[in-house]
Amino acid sequence: MTTTAVAAPHLPARLGRFVLRRCPPQLYVSYGLLWVLALEGSAVTLTGAAWRPSGTTAVRVVSVVLTLLFLRMLDEQKDLDHDRVHHPDRPLVTGEITGAELRGAMAAITAVVAGLNAALSATAALLILAVLGYGLLLAPLERLAPAVRDRPLLGLAVAGPVQLLLGGYVYGSLVAAGTVSADRRGAVLLVLCACVFLHLEFARKTAWGTSPGAGLYSSVLGPRGAAGVTVGLAAGAVACETLLFAPRGPLALLPCLAVLFPVHGARRFLAEGRGAWPMSTAVAFVAVTHLALTVRAMLLP
């Protein structure tokens, strides 16, 4: 009882330090904000209506950011045995935070996002809970099938649907609100967003060398193969963008210019023949693409 009483007041500070180390707000909040604005704004623009962020937009942004935090906390627990060997300085390994504390925070996040989205619609609440539920299934799945953890591409195939489900939550909540109508353009828009995210995912795990436990995609595909996929994903995003917005004229396709960042990154990576993919180019592609999609949605009727 004494230990619990002493530890409880320090829990917010412990969680705060964990978030700052493992979920930097400048990255997680920025990504969640820009992603929701880009997806929501583009979906509304495709209907021909004017779009401006609203209170419901804020609910979606908060829900996405909290869900990303939930998934990060889940991954820390899921990867604990791996981190004890390969990342002994991480908070859960060192005891700076405990699994019970993370699970308590995850329960609180679940209650908050469920409550926020129930105020929008039952559909929105069910969709966001489906994302959290799928994430929770990944831990027992990895225990039952270690290959999911040990084989990077298989692991990506199993975990990847989380990204699509989260995009589906944003789009589905718009449909439930009557803001947009579900059609094939929505599916293409979700693929566009998935390509942008997967470009970043592949870039951060593409390198010339190998590192034990790093789970690099380049260790399976080879550096050139992984680089090709990384650039191909950016090209896929541009293809989706062109398919959706080419009828609106050349100015509507300005966000496609963000593909210059992956092209530059590929040239550097292949020319140097050593080291890792230049992450500044991948981050720039994601940020500029989402920002350009958002600005276009605010300018086009």
Side-chain angles (χ1 to χ4, degrees):
M1 291 294 293
T2 303
T3 301
T4 303
V6 172
H10 298 290
L11 179 56
R14 289 159 65 86
L15 285 171
R17 288 192 294 270
F18 170 84
V19 170
L20 290 175
R21 282 194 58 187
R22 302 298 298 144
C23 322
Q26 67 271 26
L27 296 179
Y28 277 63
V29 175
S30 298
Y31 178 78
L33 172 65
L34 289 175
W35 183 29
V36 172
L37 294 179
L39 177 51
E40 180 181 308
S42 296
V44 174
T45 299
L46 287 171
T47 69
W51 172 80
R52 290 294 183 275
S54 63
T56 55
T57 308
V59 170
R60 295 182 184 105
V61 170
V62 171
S63 297
V64 167
V65 171
L66 288 178
T67 298
L68 293 174
L69 178 57
F70 178 100
L71 295 172
R72 178 70 265 162
M73 291 177 170
L74 180 63
D75 281 346
E76 291 291 308
Q77 298 169 77
K78 181 166 59 70
D79 298 338
L80 180 57
D81 291 338
H82 177 274
D83 289 344
R84 284 193 176 110
V85 177
H86 300 286
H87 304 285
D89 61 331
R90 290 190 174 170
L92 194 56
V93 178
T94 62
E96 296 173 46
I97 197 80
T98 68
E101 289 168 341
L102 290 180
R103 289 189 290 275
M106 290 165 62
I109 287 173
T110 301
V112 170
V113 297
L116 285 173
N117 285 280
L120 297 184
S121 68
T123 299
L126 290 173
L127 287 172
I128 197 65
L129 289 175
V131 181
L132 302 183
Y134 187 86
L136 288 172
L137 286 175
L138 295 178
L141 179 59
E142 287 191 7
R143 286 195 297 269
L144 293 172
V148 173
R149 181 186 63 249
D150 300 333
R151 297 169 59 183
L153 293 178
L154 178 60
L156 178 63
V158 172
V162 171
Q163 176 76 12
L164 285 172
L165 285 171
L166 197 50
Y169 151 72
V170 175
Y171 188 79
S173 66
L174 289 168
V175 173
T179 306
V180 303
S181 298
D183 57 27
R184 68 174 185 84
R185 294 178 301 176
V188 176
L189 188 56
L190 292 179
V191 172
L192 188 161
C193 292
C195 284
V196 173
F197 167 78
L198 288 171
H199 168 78
L200 180 65
E201 169 67 12
F202 259 83
R204 74 185 187 91
K205 292 188 176 182
T206 294
W208 285 98
T210 59
S211 176
L216 299 177
Y217 301 125
S218 52
S219 66
V220 180
L221 300 173
R224 290 182 177 82
V229 173
T230 303
V231 175
L233 288 164
V238 171
C240 291
E241 177 74 9
T242 302
L243 179 63
L244 291 172
F245 290 98
R248 305 294 292 269
L251 290 179
L253 294 178
L254 283 178
C256 294
L257 292 177
V259 77
L260 294 175
F261 291 107
V263 170
H264 177 61
R267 289 183 62 184
R268 279 183 54 188
F269 179 74
L270 295 174
E272 291 174 1
R274 58 185 174 82
W277 185 278
M279 283 303 297
S280 59
T281 65
V283 172
F285 173 69
V286 173
V288 172
T289 298
H290 286 154
L291 184 60
L293 294 177
T294 301
V295 171
R296 183 188 59 197
M298 298 184 72
L299 294 178
L300 289 181

